[in-house]
């Protein structure tokens, strides 16, 4: 398997097994992806064309906070962060517990059941569409090792361990998947719990991805681990499962229902789409505090994704007429 990492100061690292090397004459993964799309070849072929140079210590780069989000658009406004929820077996139980008020099925349980029944269509058929949310643009992308800032008005800042797909739209409007990363789909679950219609508000938070981009197809079964550290102690930890064996939708179906909208097929745009989770510390009664460290890991993705929690300063939101 082939993994790519982006160095903040410029440069790309390619890892195969334990061998991590710089890609020759490469400044960014985004530029390599553009080159691949322009030439109608795979990203792996472009890496082979450039060739690999000096060896690097990838873990040391990560420890020194020298790795960025694996792929960024040079213009943050052309980088879309979106996602789907209620896609994993078991995910509905967590959401339902947040919103259930009677014996009647909640909307969360209804849409989850729709996914179980129609989220894995046969070839040539269209599956049921999932829940969908908008998280922001590239301005909200936080590098691995950096702090996820919770807004001053937020009621909570909690992790969501997920897998994200990265996609580049070609000049002809065709969508190309670059690969997958670990993701922390950082959200405000207290705000969401107040009312399901506040889900949109709760998602407008930063997110972090990486540090490694897996180029190629995902395994059907993925084991992961989510942990929160407070000082020298582990406050909370739990395993999570992903991959289509543990989901109510196929990745192909989730991709289809995002990119079926022409606004998401604009040439040159970069999309990061998060595929959901069934594991939240919030569901176990945990409320993270400033300074806590989130760690999301999986042997499928190499290096773990680590981010601390910070509290953003209050902003002046007054609107001034011109």
């Amino acid at each position: 398997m082939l993994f790519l990492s982006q160095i903040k100061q410029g440069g790309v690292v390619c890892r195969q097994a334990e061998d991590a090397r710089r890609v020759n004459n490469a400044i960014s993964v985004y530029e390599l992806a553009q080159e691949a799309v322009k030439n109608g070849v795979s990203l792996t072929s472009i890496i082979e064309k450039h060739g690999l140079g000096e060896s690097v210590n990838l873990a040391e780069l990560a420890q020194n906070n020298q790795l960025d989000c694996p792929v960024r658009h040079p213009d943050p406004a052309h980088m879309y962060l979106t996602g789907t929820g209620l896609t994993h077996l078991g995910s509905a139980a967590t959401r339902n517990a947040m919103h259930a008020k009677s014996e009647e099925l909640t909307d969360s349980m209804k849409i989850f059941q729709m996914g179980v029944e129609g989220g894995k269509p046969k070839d040539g058929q269209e599956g049921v569409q999932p829940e969908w949310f908008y998280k922001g643009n590239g301005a909200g992308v936080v590098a691995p090792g950096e702090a996820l800032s919770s807004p001053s008005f937020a009621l909570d800042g909690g992790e969501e361990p997920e897998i994200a797909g990265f996609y580049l739209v070609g000049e002809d409007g065709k969508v190309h998947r670059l690969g997958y990363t670990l993701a922390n789909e950082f959200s405000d679950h207290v705000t969401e719990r107040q009312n399901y219609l506040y889900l949109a508000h709760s998602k407008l938070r930063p997110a972090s991805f990486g540090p490694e981009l897996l180029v190629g197809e995902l395994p059907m079964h993925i084991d992961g681990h989510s942990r929160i550290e407070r000082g020298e102690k582990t406050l909370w930890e739990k395993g999570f499962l992903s991959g289509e064996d543990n989901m109510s939708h196929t990745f192909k179906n989730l991709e289809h229902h995002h990119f079926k909208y022409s606004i998401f097929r604009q040439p040159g745009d970069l999309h990061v789409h998060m595929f959901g989770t069934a594991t939240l510390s919030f569901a176990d009664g945990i409320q993270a505090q400033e300074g806590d460290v989130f760690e999301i890991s999986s042997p499928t993705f190499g290096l773990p994704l680590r981010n601390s929690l910070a509290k953003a300063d209050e902003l002046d939101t007054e609107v001034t007429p011109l």
Side-chain angles (χ1 to χ4, degrees):
M1 301 182 77
L2 186 148
F3 298 85
L4 297 177
S5 296
Q6 177 70 51
I7 300 175
K8 288 180 180 177
Q9 294 80 6
V12 177
V13 176
C14 175
R15 181 176 69 82
Q16 294 173 287
E18 300 302 316
D19 185 29
R21 297 177 179 270
R22 281 182 176 265
V23 179
N24 293 330
N25 304 311
I27 300 300
S28 71
V29 176
Y30 179 80
E31 289 184 4
L32 289 172
Q34 281 191 314
E35 185 180 348
V37 170
K38 182 178 179 180
N39 288 278
V41 299
S42 68
L43 190 51
T44 301
S45 296
I46 289 298
I47 301 296
E48 293 173 351
K49 177 184 174 182
H50 278 251
L52 303 180
E54 64 176 312
S55 296
V56 298
N57 187 325
L58 200 58
E60 188 175 281
L61 289 174
Q63 188 174 4
N64 294 330
N65 289 341
Q66 291 181 269
L67 297 181
D68 199 359
C69 172
V71 195
R72 282 188 189 266
H73 196 289
D75 180 354
H78 286 277
M79 184 174 181
Y80 289 81
L81 307 184
T82 57
T84 60
L86 300 169
T87 54
H88 284 63
L89 303 176
S91 60
T94 300
R95 181 77 67 81
N96 190 60
M98 292 166 62
H99 299 289
K101 291 184 176 140
S102 68
E103 295 299 318
E104 182 181 350
L105 282 179
T106 64
D107 286 339
S108 294
M109 289 301 294
K110 290 176 184 176
I111 202 167
F112 173 74
Q113 191 59 39
M114 289 168 62
V116 170
E117 295 171 359
K120 293 184 174 181
K122 296 180 180 179
D123 289 343
Q125 297 182 358
E126 180 176 277
V128 67
Q129 63 185 358
E131 176 194 56
W132 181 95
F133 63 84
Y134 172 71
K135 194 163 181 68
N137 61 25
V141 176
V142 173
E146 296 183 359
L148 290 161
S149 292
S150 188
S152 60
F153 56 80
L155 302 179
D156 173 52
E159 88 299 331
E160 293 204 17
E162 305 193 16
I163 292 169
F166 281 69
Y167 306 85
L168 179 62
V169 184
E171 289 302 316
D172 58 357
K174 185 177 179 181
V175 182
H176 304 266
R177 187 196 312 115
L178 311 184
Y180 302 92
T181 71
L182 290 172
N184 189 336
E185 198 272 287
F186 185 64
S187 300
D188 184 341
H189 302 105
V190 173
T191 292
E192 178 192 342
R193 186 175 59 182
Q194 289 179 331
N195 188 304
Y196 184 68
L197 296 180
Y198 282 163
L199 176 70
H201 293 274
S202 74
K203 295 298 185 184
L204 291 175
R205 302 291 188 272
S208 189
F209 309 94
E212 299 190 71
L213 176 80
L214 187 161
V215 178
E217 297 299 326
L218 284 174
M220 296 295 288
H221 177 88
I222 296 170
D223 282 296
H225 197 81
S226 185
R227 172 165 50 215
I228 300 177
E229 299 171 0
R230 181 169 293 171
E232 300 297 320
K233 297 182 179 180
T234 296
L235 174 67
W236 172 91
E237 60 182 332
K238 201 171 206 177
F240 68 89
L241 300 175
S242 193
E244 288 188 7
D245 283 351
N246 303 292
M247 296 173 65
S248 53
H249 288 261
T250 63
F251 286 105
K252 184 177 181 180
N253 190 52
L254 299 177
E255 291 170 339
H256 164 72
H257 284 294
H258 177 68
F259 290 109
K260 69 183 182 183
Y261 297 101
S262 60
I263 193 173
F264 294 145
R265 299 194 307 273
Q266 298 304 302
D269 282 355
L270 180 68
H271 288 254
V272 187
H273 198 66
M274 290 153 272
F275 295 110
T277 187
T279 303
L280 307 172
S281 64
F282 181 79
D284 291 338
I286 300 297
Q287 188 157 19
Q289 299 177 3
E290 189 170 6
D292 288 351
V293 175
F294 304 113
E295 181 182 277
I296 298 169
S297 62
S298 169
T300 302
F301 290 94
L303 293 175
L305 175 61
R306 291 174 58 86
N307 300 92
S308 59
L309 173 60
K311 193 79 171 177
D313 294 333
E314 187 171 353
L315 297 176
D316 181 2
T317 58
E318 182 178 356
V319 177
T320 303
L322 293 177

